[in-house]
Amino acid sequence: MSNNVLVVAEIRDGAPKKITFEMLGEGARIADLLGGHVEAVALGHNIGEAAGILGHYGATKIYVADNDELEHYTAEGFTNVLSGLIKEIQPALVLLGATTTGKDLAPRVAARLAVGLASDCTGVAVEDGELLITRPIYAGKAIATVKETFKPHMVTVRPNIFPAPEPDASLEAPMETIPADAGEVRARVVDMITEAGDRIELTEADIIVSGGRGLKAPENFAMIEELAKTLGAAVGASRAAVDAGWKDHSYQVGQTGKVVTPTLYIACGISGAIQHLAGMKTSKYIMAINKDPDAPIFKMADYGIVGDVFTVVPVLTEEFKKMKAEE
Ligand SMILES: Cc1cc2nc3c(=O)[nH]c(=O)nc-3n(C[C@H](O)[C@H](O)[C@H](O)COP(=O)(O)OP(=O)(O)OC[C@H]3O[C@@H](n4cnc5c(N)ncnc54)[C@H](O)[C@@H]3O)c2cc1C
């Protein structure tokens, strides 16, 4: 078993996703404490260029599995290739994103290797050479510290928790082509339908403006979208707004929706039910706009405006527009 950390890169549309850089940064820190290096593996088709970028973010070696059978993610194909590599190189720790793909892939790989998995990690410490992994449990009501007894340790990492290092184009890492035989794949991807337009993905957004039942009607989401557009933010929604049919489920933030960790989360007409908080309480800054001064969201908020969303949101949008025009 080596002391190295292996980061499983996520590549989309020919480029690594931000979570990959965040894992490389954190992976390098942990590898340092363990006395090893951070390495990366990229799976896909025609991904040589994207894989090369991983070196600029600190990967000291890049394993590349390039094959047309890996063009689209499949749990079976990716598990076959990845578990083969892990058995071969024996890293101390494997990091995957707690993303749609990572949440699907990591448990399957862990089962194949007969090891444990700590999912949705928000912190890692090393004590006496042992890894202590921090992860929220009970919908974020408590934080557990987990010590994995199996090796290699496997962890999925919550996006937007760890800072991504600044890229350094002078850093180059050797690339090694690894066997890319997907093996027997019973499920095949026949089509990929991307969400409309250039909508910012909630789990990757730096700023999110979310609307709840306080918006009263679906057409009133237009002012949330306007504020979001002004800030370059993603739009989110509470379950009440989704259940009412004002937004589809892909917008829902919370226990049964998406877990988000933006720098700024603006909750508009959202009460702050525990199930909503479970999806956004690890945001760096929370701003709430609610006409009820006793709304629970204010207990969690860094900035609170007690007021009517129909008055406050348009004023905010105008003010931000003015600020941007002056930039
Ligand atoms: C198993 C389970 C899972 C769940 N999962 C989720 C989940 O993933 N995500 C989620 O969001 N919820 C989830 N819920 C539902 C959750 O309990 C709440 O019902 C929901 O979050 C409420 O949404 P809301 O805050 O938009 O609505 P409400 O609780 O009705 O709050 C509306 C808020 O708007 C304010 N308001 C009204 N008018 C105005 C105005 N003009 N200006 C300013 N403020 C105004 C009110 O004061 C109020 O605080 C779940 C529930 C269960 C049981």
Side-chain angles (χ1 to χ4, degrees), residues 219-244:
E219 56 273 19
N220 295 331
F221 257 92
M223 70 179 179
I224 300 297
E225 267 142 26
E226 182 68 17
L227 176 56
K229 198 171 137 202
T230 308
L231 293 172
V235 172
S238 73
R239 175 156 162 186
V242 170
D243 284 352

Side-chain angles (χ1 to χ4, degrees), residues 20-319:
T20 303
F21 305 138
E22 294 167 6
M23 290 191 290
L24 283 170
E26 182 60 8
R29 190 188 69 83
I30 302 166
D32 238 22
L33 295 171
L34 295 174
H37 304 286
V38 65
E39 301 182 335
V41 55
L43 290 79
H45 188 40
N46 294 331
I47 50 164
E49 202 177 316
I53 296 172
L54 304 173
H56 305 334
Y57 286 83
T60 56
K61 184 168 187 179
I62 304 156
Y63 299 96
V64 183
D66 199 319
N67 186 337
D68 58 358
E69 287 179 0
L70 300 174
E71 177 163 6
H72 296 301
Y73 167 76
T74 61
E76 290 169 301
F78 274 47
T79 299
N80 290 338
V81 175
L82 189 55
S83 52
L85 175 71
I86 294 170
K87 279 183 196 156
E88 170 90 23
I89 64 169
Q90 300 272 316
L93 168 68
V94 181
L95 297 178
L96 296 98
T99 56
T100 310
T101 305
K103 285 179 192 169
D104 193 52
L105 179 61
R108 189 176 266 263
V109 174
R112 179 72 61 84
L113 300 171
V115 299
L117 169 70
S119 58
D120 206 16
C121 145
T122 53
V124 182
V126 178
E127 262 177 34
D128 302 326
E130 299 275 358
L131 284 186
L132 299 178
I133 292 139
T134 311
R135 55 186 297 268
I137 54 169
Y138 302 127
K141 285 201 263 317
I143 302 289
T145 302
V146 179
K147 195 190 244 181
E148 287 190 352
T149 52
F150 294 95
K151 284 194 177 161
H153 299 302
M154 284 198 60
V155 170
T156 61
V157 176
R158 186 179 282 204
N160 283 346
I161 292 284
F162 300 106
E166 285 300 318
D168 179 347
S170 69
L171 293 175
E172 299 273 350
M175 290 214 239
E176 184 178 318
T177 305
I178 60 165
D181 180 8
E184 191 198 345
V185 177
R186 287 162 297 176
R188 295 230 166 254
V189 177
V190 287
D191 199 6
M192 293 279 283
I193 302 165
T194 42
E195 281 173 320
D198 43 20
R199 187 173 137 193
I200 302 169
E201 207 177 305
L202 268 176
T203 51
E204 293 191 356
D206 197 39
I207 306 177
I208 295 174
V209 187
S210 261
R213 192 168 4 226
L215 291 178
K216 306 218 171 16
E219 56 273 19
N220 295 331
F221 257 92
M223 70 179 179
I224 300 297
E225 267 142 26
E226 182 68 17
L227 176 56
K229 198 171 137 202
T230 308
L231 293 172
V235 172
S238 73
R239 175 156 162 186
V242 170
D243 284 352
W246 301 350
K247 282 280 161 198
D248 75 56
H249 183 258
S250 63
Y251 287 83
Q252 185 177 315
V253 172
Q255 187 182 325
T256 42
K258 289 188 173 146
V259 175
V260 298
T261 323
T263 306
L264 174 64
Y265 187 88
I266 308 180
C268 307
I270 293 177
S271 60
I274 186 95
Q275 297 89 353
H276 188 80
L277 299 180
M280 42 62 79
K281 67 193 278 189
T282 47
S283 304
K284 198 160 180 193
Y285 296 102
I286 297 170
M287 176 177 170
I289 305 162
N290 197 303
K291 67 177 185 186
D292 174 7
D294 296 322
I297 190 85
F298 285 128
K299 291 203 179 76
M300 194 56 67
D302 300 282
Y303 301 96
I305 300 177
V306 178
D308 190 324
V309 279
F310 298 100
T311 315
V312 176
V313 172
V315 170
L316 277 179
T317 307
E318 277 321 302
E319 288 303 315

